[in-house]
Amino acid sequence: MEKTWRWFGRKDKITLDMLRQIGVEGIVTALHDVPNGEIWTEEAILDLKSYIESYGLRWSVVESLPVCEAIKYAGPERDELIEKYKVSLANLGKCGIRTVCYNFMPVIDWIRTDLRHPWADGSSSLYFDRVRFAYFDLKILAREGAEADYSPEVLAKVEALDRTITEAEKDELIDSIIVKTQGFVNGNIREGDKAPVSIFRRLLAQYEGIDREQLRENMRYFLAAVMPACEQYGVDMCVHPDDPPFQVLGLPRIVTSEEDIAWFLEAVDNPHNGLTFCAGSLSAGAHNDVVKMARRFASRTHFVHLRSCEILPDGNFIEASHLGGRADLVELIRIFERENPSLPMRVDHGRTMLGDEKMGYNAGYSFHGRMLALGQVDGMMAVVKNELQKQIIL
Ligand code: DNO
């Protein structure tokens, strides 16, 4: 697979010079300064593309071309927004950038409660704690009817937490769940926004009455509408699975399981309609057999995120070492190398270590932690390629 790296543009503290030195071949990025819903012009695309190429690298994947909320909840402006999305796809295709990652998660993209969960060795990683997440939902967001979504056990733990949690801890929880993980991925809430919780409540209200079936229908509508542009310009769309892969905050999530993925691939059965196989997101769901899913969906996978989660007995999950956890990255690499040796792959997230904590990197996107992970994945890939070559010779 092609070794790619998520880079946040010219403002990223991790420079392209640094990436060249650690074996990165392709760049995964976006026009982060263009507001959601606006057209990506050829001029702006080419400007960033030539900057990347001036370092001997290539712009391999767009992550993400964001899908506006009004497309997801089918607001009155949806068709106009889809038309603009198609123009951006066409412009990307004309500039030779042909893999586009997006997601179809309502309101909130990826979710973690802890950005610095400590490891015994002094490093830290991202973490999802079910009780603290329920606390956010019940006590901070105070979402109507939220109690019905949690077990009596979790509700009791939330009450216990309510007796001890400090104001600073509440602020940190808000910051982790809806600010720090969202802003830099072109999310709905940005760092510095005043009153993020009220913004969030307003966004949630847009989805009243939208259930799984309706959201599926809206995704099918969107995909069917953009496919002609993808065909004409040779662009592959690849949806990112919902992270974590289960329902949250009363919102439907529809890319969470083998059945969900099979559904959207069949609903718009076009090779340009594909998947970002994010092993980390999928492995955070106990219902997902990640290796089985990779076998089934490899031929429709246009982009791979390698990362692994461990689910703990209480249902919490931690981002594990790239060598451990539930995802079995070695086997995934075997599957994808056989399918398509030039598939773009990036290590997804990494631990915070060796001074990363002082650098102000985006949550999950450390330098040393991701570099270590890339080294590990690079080693696994070398062994798998060696195995495959021997199989061909024998
Ligand atoms: C988080 C990322 C996601 C992903 C989007 C794709 O680290 O994996 O934010 O980029 O969901 O649209």
Side-chain angles (χ1 to χ4, degrees), residues 25-94:
E25 296 158 340
I27 294 299
V28 174
T29 193
L31 298 184
H32 286 285
D33 294 332
V34 178
N36 290 3
E38 281 185 20
I39 288 174
W40 288 19
T41 63
E42 272 185 82
E43 195 191 356
I45 297 166
L46 284 177
D47 178 56
L48 189 59
K49 183 175 184 254
S50 48
Y51 180 78
I52 293 170
E53 287 171 355
S54 72
Y55 286 84
L57 294 162
R58 59 187 293 260
W59 184 353
S60 305
V61 178
V62 170
E63 181 174 356
S64 310
L65 182 57
V67 176
C68 291
E69 295 300 330
I71 295 180
K72 296 180 202 163
Y73 65 75
E77 61 279 55
R78 128 167 108 167
D79 288 331
E80 191 189 320
L81 288 166
I82 292 179
E83 281 315 306
K84 288 190 181 166
Y85 200 95
K86 284 164 69 179
V87 175
S88 297
L89 288 176
N91 289 345
L92 284 163
K94 286 182 209 162

Side-chain angles (χ1 to χ4, degrees), residues 6 8 28 62-67 101-105 109-112 126 181-182 184-186 238-243 276 278 281 303 305 307 319 346 348-349 363-365:
R6 190 172 195 186
F8 296 99
V28 174
V62 170
E63 181 174 356
S64 310
L65 182 57
V67 176
C101 172
Y102 69 101
N103 73 73
F104 218 79
M105 291 175 248
D109 189 323
W110 63 308
I111 308 174
R112 298 292 182 275
L126 304 173
T181 44
Q182 302 302 306
F184 73 93
V185 294
N186 286 36
C238 41
V239 72
H240 189 284
D242 303 341
D243 180 3
T276 295
C278 178
S281 306
F303 182 30
H305 283 184
R307 170 167 74 78
E319 296 204 1
R346 74 169 175 85
D348 189 21
H349 308 170
Y365 291 91

Side-chain angles (χ1 to χ4, degrees), residues 145-183:
E147 292 77 13
D149 291 352
Y150 301 100
S151 66
E153 231 182 297
V154 169
L155 292 176
K157 286 184 180 161
V158 166
E159 288 309 323
L161 177 60
D162 198 35
R163 290 191 284 274
T164 57
I165 195 167
T166 64
E167 287 306 310
E169 283 166 343
K170 285 186 203 171
D171 288 344
E172 198 183 332
L173 198 54
I174 297 170
D175 203 42
S176 301
I177 297 177
I178 58 175
V179 182
K180 286 238 164 54
T181 44
Q182 302 302 306

Side-chain angles (χ1 to χ4, degrees), residues 353-364:
M353 61 200 302
L354 303 170
D356 285 332
E357 56 284 358
K358 298 190 203 90
M359 297 300 294
Y361 297 136
N362 292 327

Side-chain angles (χ1 to χ4, degrees), residues 103-120:
N103 73 73
F104 218 79
M105 291 175 248
V107 182
I108 184 163
D109 189 323
W110 63 308
I111 308 174
R112 298 292 182 275
T113 53
D114 300 74
L115 308 182
R116 292 272 175 83
H117 187 79
W119 284 34

